[in-house]
Amino acid sequence: MMAHLAIADLTHRPELFVFLEAVVFAAFYVRATIGFGSGLISVALLSLSFPVKEVVPVVLLLDLLGSILLGAYDFREMHWRELTWLIPGSLVGLAIGALVLAHTHAQRLTLFLGIFILAYVVYAIVAKPERMPRIARAWALPLGVFGGIVGSLYGGGGPPLVAYLQMRHLDKRAFRATFQAIALTDNIVRGGLYIGFGLLTWPLTVVFAAMAPAAALGLYLGNHLHMRINQRMFLRATLALLTAVGVKYLV
């Protein structure tokens, strides 16, 4: 594959276009099903062939689309009090992560993230996700900061935010809805930061436009599955995805 994400690659290499469409569709199918994961999945797979600094801005725009669509669909299910400290913490973390992304190699920082994710998964399995203790709302601030940093570096701040929302014992619909509110705020702020740092360019925006239909289809079909699965299956699906992401970052 070519070394850069550009519209020329899509028009001259059909297999590249199919690969990108398949990754985006799968990522956003998962996003609609369990509420998060599109950024982490997309960046994890696409960064195997393309530079992280080009993949992340494209995925940001796709995630913004996903946040708007799912957020509008789930608007009445959002738990606004959970956002009191999560959003301010996320904004601080986003600024820190954008600076790091602009001035260093994000791949060097994946080891700590992988350890954190897998440690949480082990804890959740031992404690059983539906029986985990309910943590205080004060944890929203540090986990929000951590989530913001992860979001800037890897295209999705899911793991720390998932840990917080799971341990606040939100049901699946409220979990997905509340996560979209955080994600939407993060996406908008990250977009401004990426433009300011010169990370989001017109050619990458064109790539986003080409990938948007696949993302929308994934969201539509994934939402049907979300409405059918029960709470226990939902919790286990989130842990399974976190495990895969954690292993990927360690490897």
Side-chain angles (χ1 to χ4, degrees):
M1 292 186 181
M2 301 291 286
H4 299 284
L5 278 173
I7 192 61
D9 298 333
L10 299 177
T11 56
H12 291 94
R13 308 239 348 235
E15 73 280 6
L16 179 62
F17 182 82
V18 172
F19 169 71
L20 293 174
E21 293 278 7
V23 169
V24 169
F25 170 81
F28 283 85
Y29 183 86
V30 172
R31 169 74 172 272
T33 302
I34 62 175
F36 75 102
S38 55
L40 292 167
I41 293 171
S42 299
V43 173
L45 294 177
L46 297 180
S47 63
L48 295 175
S49 302
F50 304 102
V52 169
K53 288 186 178 182
E54 295 187 351
V55 170
V56 170
V58 173
V59 173
L60 161 70
L61 295 177
L62 292 169
D63 273 347
L64 177 60
L65 174 65
S67 298
I68 292 172
L69 295 177
L70 286 179
Y73 187 82
D74 287 338
F75 185 78
R76 294 183 178 180
E77 304 293 331
M78 291 181 185
H79 282 214
W80 298 101
R81 293 186 64 190
E82 301 296 350
L83 303 175
T84 304
W85 290 109
L86 275 178
I87 288 181
S90 295
L91 296 178
V92 173
L94 285 170
I96 296 172
L99 282 170
V100 173
L101 182 64
H103 299 294
T104 190
H105 295 292
Q107 287 93 334
R108 297 175 182 174
L109 308 174
T110 58
L111 181 61
F112 173 72
L113 178 59
I115 292 172
F116 169 82
I117 295 170
L118 293 179
Y120 171 73
V121 169
V122 170
Y123 170 72
I125 291 173
V126 171
K128 297 188 182 300
E130 62 273 15
R131 298 180 183 175
M132 287 190 294
R134 184 183 176 89
I135 62 172
R137 192 172 284 115
W139 279 98
L141 185 59
L143 289 176
V145 172
F146 190 15
I149 294 173
V150 173
S152 273
L153 293 178
Y154 309 111
L161 304 178
V162 169
Y164 174 78
L165 294 175
Q166 275 195 340
M167 296 185 73
R168 291 292 295 168
H169 290 208
L170 274 62
D171 64 44
K172 66 173 186 176
R173 190 79 183 277
F175 174 101
R176 190 177 76 167
T178 306
F179 189 92
Q180 304 320 306
I182 307 166
L184 180 59
T185 303
D186 289 2
N187 294 155
I188 293 172
V189 174
R190 272 202 293 143
L193 291 170
Y194 288 0
I195 291 172
F197 285 116
L199 296 169
L200 182 55
T201 63
W202 175 248
L204 298 181
T205 305
V206 174
V207 175
F208 152 73
M211 298 298 103
L217 180 60
L219 290 170
Y220 176 77
L221 296 178
N223 186 58
H224 282 275
L225 180 58
H226 177 81
M227 295 303 176
R228 291 185 173 89
I229 62 176
N230 60 38
Q231 185 70 12
R232 174 175 288 188
M233 186 180 297
F234 173 80
L235 291 171
R236 279 158 176 69
T238 61
L239 293 180
L241 178 57
L242 287 176
T243 300
V245 173
V247 170
K248 185 269 177 187
Y249 282 135
L250 287 180
V251 174

